[in-house]
Amino acid sequence: MRDRWLKYVLILPAALLVMGTTIWPLGVSLVTSFRDWRLTRSLTPGPFIGVEHYLIALTDDPDFANAAKVTAIFTLVDVAVTVVSALGLALLLRRAGVLHSVTRAVLILPFAVSPALVGISFRFMFNAEMGVFTWMAGAIIPWLKGFVWLADPVAALLVLMFSDAWRWVPYMTLVVLGGLAALPKEPEEAARIDGATEWQVLRDVTIPALLPVLAVVAILKTVFALKMFDQVVTLTGGGPGQSTVTLAHLVFSIAFRWYDMGYASAVAWILTALLVFLAVWYMKLILRKPGGH
Amino acid sequence: MDRNAQARRRRMLWRGVESALLLLVLFLILFPILWMALTAFKRPVDLFDLTVFFTPTLDNFRTIFAHPWNIGQTFLNSLVVAGLTVLVSIPASTLAAYAFSRFEMPFKGALFFTILATQFIPAVVVVLPFYLLFRDLGLLDTHLALVVVNLAIVTPFAVWMLKGFLDAVPTESEEAAMVDGATRLRVIIDIVVPMVWPGVVVTAVFCFILTWNEFLFALILTRDDAVTLPVGITRFRTERGDLWELIAAAGILISIPMFFLSSVIQRHFVRGMTGGAVK
C-alpha cells in the first residue's frame, strides 16, 4: 500500500513545524546554558563553562531563590484556590435556574481576555487614587481605607493571584461542569435512596468520581501558574521590590535587561525541566483513560 | 408535618444562599469587564470620581486611532500575525492529525507524546534562541518573526484538538471510496475534510484567540512596526503617567472580537484545552 509512506508524508509538515519552533530552540537554549555569553561583551557565544550557571542559580543567587519562592507560593495558592472554587461553583451551577444559566453563559468571557489586558485592568482597579477595587475594599472594611495594594509585598502578590483566579476559575468551572455532565446518574440516586444526605452523596460518591477531572484541572493550572509572566509585567512589574518576580519574569530580566544569555538559558532550563516532569505526569494521567486522546 | 416544614424551610434558606452566591460570582466575573467598558467612555477628569453617571464621550476611541497611537495599525498587525499563524498551522496539523488518527506506525505513541509535551515548555525558553536568530537575520520587529514563534504554541494544540475531532468521524465512507479506487489524498480532500470541517473551524478559531492574546513573544520580538495589541496597550503607560481611559478604549477593541469568537465555540473550548480528557 502507498499508505505505508503516505502517513509519514502527512505527519512531516507538522513534525517539521514542531521541531523547528520548539525542539530546536530548546536544544540551543540547553547548549547556551553551559556557555558564558553576555551580549554586553560579545555578540557571539563565549567559552563553555560546564554547569557553573546551574550551580550559581541553585546555591548562590538570592534573586533566583526569591523568584523560586514567589513562584512556589503563587502556584500552591493559585492551584488550591482554582480547584476548590471551580469545584464549588460547578456544583452550584449543576442545577437548572435562570441565575444558573446566566452564570454558565458568562463563564467563558474572562478567558477570552488577553492576560496582559487582565493585568493592566487590575492595575487600574487597584490604583491608590482612582481604583474601584481599592475603594470597595475600603468601603467594606474601613481599616483598608487608603491602603495602597500594589505597594505592599504581600497584598501585591494577592492581587496578582486574584487577577489570575479571575481569568482561570470560570474556565476551570466549565471543565468541571463537563466532567459532572459525563458522570452516570445511577450511583448518586442509589445513595440517596439508601438514605444518604446530600453532603454524604457529595463526599462519598460525586467527588470521588470527579477526581480524574480535578487532577487534570490541578495539573493544567500548575503548569500555567509556573509559567506566570504576562500579568507580572502588566500588573505589578515584579514589584514592590522583587516581591512578585516569578521565574519566567526573572529569565526575562536576566536576558533582556542584563543581556546575560548563558545564565538566562540555565534558569529557563531549570523551569523547563520542572514543567516537562509535570507534562509526563499529565500525559500518563489522560492517555491512560479510556476514551481520552 | 413539623419535620417536613422544617426541611422545607431549610431548603428555602439554602436556595437563598445559593442565589446570593451566584449573584456574587456574576458580579465578580462581569464587574471588571463592565468597569473597563465604562472607563473607555469617560473623560480623564471623570476617572477619579468612580461614578457610573457621567457624560459619555467617544474621544478616547478617536485618540487611540489618531497619531501617535495609531491603534488601527496595531490592530492590523494582530490580525495579520494571528491570521497567518492559523493559515500555516491548520493545514499541516489537519494532515498530521489524520495520520495519527487512522494509521499505525512505529513510535507513534512517542511521536504524538512529544508533540503534545511541547505545550508545557515555557515560552521564555523558546524565545531566547529565536531572539538571537532573528537579530542576526535582521528579522526583529517583523510579522514573519512573530508568526514563526507563535506556530510553536499553536501547532501542538491544533494537532491534539483535530485528532479528537477526526477520531469521532466514522471511517466507512472513506473505505467505500477507497474500494472504488479513490486515492488516499482524494479521500482526505473530498470526504474527510468536509466531514470534519466544523472541527477544523473550531480549532482555527481557538488558535486565532491564542495568537491574538499572546504577549511574551510580541513583547520581546517587536518594537515599533510589528507590535500587536496586547503589547500595544502597554504603550499607554507613558512617562507622563498612565492614560487609563485610552487603555480601556484599546481594551475594548482587543476584547470584543474575542468575546464573540469564544462564545461561538464555547462548547469546544474546554475540550481543546484538555485534549478530550474531559468530555
Side-chain angles (χ1 to χ4, degrees):
Chain A
M1 270 305 259
R2 303 228 324 270
D3 280 358
R4 248 185 82 194
W5 299 107
L6 184 69
K7 56 193 179 192
Y8 297 109
V9 176
L10 292 177
I11 289 178
L12 195 65
L16 284 178
L17 281 182
V18 172
M19 292 277 285
T21 58
T22 55
I23 309 292
W24 171 78
L26 270 181
V28 173
S29 290
L30 187 62
V31 174
T32 307
S33 74
F34 296 118
R35 309 180 82 147
D36 182 29
W37 187 7
R38 291 168 217 197
L39 283 181
T40 45
R41 288 194 207 149
S42 148
L43 288 176
T44 47
F48 281 95
I49 52 166
V51 295
E52 200 183 307
H53 284 144
Y54 291 91
L55 280 179
I56 293 172
L58 294 172
T59 61
D60 196 25
D61 181 359
D63 290 346
F64 179 86
N66 173 68
K69 194 185 86 188
V70 170
T71 309
I73 295 172
F74 177 83
T75 304
L76 283 175
V77 176
D78 207 33
V79 171
V81 167
T82 305
V83 172
V84 171
S85 319
L87 174 65
L89 190 52
L91 289 171
L92 270 185
L93 289 175
R94 227 176 152 190
R95 280 206 283 119
V98 180
L99 266 181
H100 301 68
S101 22
V102 173
T103 311
R104 268 196 301 264
V106 301
L107 284 178
I108 196 69
L109 293 182
F111 201 72
V113 183
S114 167
L117 176 61
V118 172
I120 211 163
S121 302
F122 274 69
R123 185 179 176 85
F124 173 53
M125 290 183 286
F126 278 99
N127 183 291
E129 291 111 41
M130 49 190 152
V132 68
F133 280 147
T134 308
W135 173 81
M136 273 183 205
I140 299 167
I141 309 164
W143 171 70
L144 283 175
K145 200 163 269 172
F147 183 61
V148 186
W149 288 82
L150 296 177
D152 181 86
V154 176
L157 192 57
L158 284 176
V159 170
L160 195 68
M161 288 166 179
F162 180 40
S163 82
D164 201 47
W166 181 79
R167 203 173 109 81
W168 278 99
V169 168
Y171 177 82
M172 289 305 191
T173 304
L174 281 174
V175 176
V176 179
L177 274 171
L180 275 172
L183 290 186
K185 297 265 176 296
E186 295 79 22
E188 291 189 349
E189 278 157 19
R192 274 190 203 110
I193 290 166
D194 289 347
T197 63
E198 281 305 307
W199 168 243
Q200 284 169 330
V201 173
L202 205 61
R203 194 192 57 193
D204 298 334
V205 182
T206 316
I207 292 180
L210 268 184
L211 278 183
V213 176
L214 295 180
V216 168
V217 170
I219 296 180
L220 272 182
K221 193 66 216 44
T222 307
V223 167
F224 284 98
L226 287 172
K227 293 203 262 191
M228 183 65 171
F229 177 80
D230 298 9
Q231 286 116 299
V232 178
V233 174
T234 59
L235 206 167
T236 63
Q242 292 197 48
S243 57
T244 53
V245 172
T246 57
L247 281 172
H249 191 267
L250 180 68
V251 174
F252 171 76
S253 296
I254 298 171
F256 299 103
R257 268 185 219 152
W258 308 323
Y259 292 104
D260 189 340
M261 293 298 156
Y263 191 49
S265 300
V267 175
W269 252 94
I270 294 173
L271 181 61
T272 304
L274 202 63
L275 283 161
V276 168
F277 174 74
L278 277 169
V280 172
W281 196 21
Y282 176 73
M283 294 310 173
K284 277 195 181 141
L285 196 76
I286 67 159
L287 292 180
R288 196 185 56 200
K289 271 193 61 179
H293 306 297
Chain B
M1 279 316 271
D2 195 36
R3 219 155 158 218
N4 264 341
Q6 211 178 1
R8 205 178 309 134
R9 199 175 330 137
R10 199 178 305 148
R11 209 175 311 134
M12 289 279 283
L13 188 72
W14 173 240
R15 281 281 155 80
V17 172
E18 192 179 287
S19 298
L21 278 174
L22 286 181
L23 282 173
L24 178 70
V25 168
L26 268 177
F27 173 81
L28 283 174
I29 291 176
L30 292 179
F31 181 78
I33 296 172
L34 294 176
W35 189 255
M36 291 314 276
L38 272 184
T39 304
F41 295 96
K42 285 182 173 179
R43 290 171 301 157
V45 288
D46 290 326
L47 288 184
F48 290 87
D49 286 350
L50 295 174
T51 177
V52 288
F53 304 105
F54 58 92
T55 327
T57 169
L58 286 174
D59 281 355
N60 299 328
F61 292 95
R62 263 179 229 124
T63 309
I64 60 173
F65 276 99
H67 187 78
W69 306 112
N70 297 325
I71 202 86
Q73 181 60 43
T74 316
F75 193 92
L76 210 63
N77 287 340
S78 278
L79 214 57
V80 168
V81 169
L84 281 179
T85 305
V86 168
L87 272 180
V88 175
S89 178
I90 296 298
S93 305
T94 309
L95 295 181
Y98 181 81
F100 279 122
S101 174
R102 296 294 193 268
F103 300 118
E104 279 312 314
M105 64 191 94
F107 306 115
K108 177 174 151 179
L111 203 58
F112 192 56
F113 186 90
T114 307
I115 289 185
L116 298 192
T118 55
Q119 290 181 78
F120 289 81
I121 294 162
V124 74
V125 74
V126 169
V127 78
L128 291 177
F130 272 117
Y131 170 79
L132 298 164
L133 176 74
F134 291 141
R135 194 201 48 168
D136 292 343
L137 295 175
L139 284 175
L140 284 179
D141 204 15
T142 62
H143 295 145
L144 178 67
L146 272 186
V147 170
V148 169
V149 286
N150 275 310
L151 285 171
I153 319 184
V154 159
T155 309
F157 264 130
V159 173
W160 198 351
M161 270 184 96
L162 283 164
K163 180 176 176 292
F165 286 118
L166 279 162
D167 284 343
V169 171
T171 56
E172 286 85 18
S173 43
E174 284 172 52
E175 281 153 16
M178 302 261 291
V179 170
D180 290 345
T183 64
R184 183 64 82 165
L185 267 177
R186 274 259 78 85
V187 168
I188 294 177
I189 295 166
D190 293 341
I191 299 176
V192 178
V193 168
M195 281 177 86
V196 80
W197 189 246
V200 173
V201 172
V202 166
T203 309
V205 168
F206 186 85
C207 294
F208 189 90
I209 296 175
L210 274 185
T211 318
W212 181 270
N213 287 339
E214 198 287 320
F215 178 69
L216 190 151
F217 291 151
L219 181 69
I220 292 169
L221 298 177
T222 67
R223 187 166 299 270
D224 298 302
D225 299 339
V227 167
T228 54
L229 284 169
V231 174
I233 48 171
T234 65
R235 298 292 166 90
F236 297 111
R237 299 188 53 201
T238 68
E239 282 141 27
R240 290 173 292 125
D242 302 333
L243 307 170
W244 298 113
E245 70 286 358
L246 300 187
I247 289 172
I252 289 200
L253 209 64
I254 174 174
S255 302
I256 296 282
M258 297 307 107
F259 285 155
F260 174 72
L261 288 179
S262 63
S263 301
V264 171
I265 59 160
Q266 170 157 5
R267 221 163 54 80
H268 302 276
F269 214 77
V270 175
R271 243 188 84 168
M273 201 72 168
T274 50
V278 182
K279 289 238 161 120

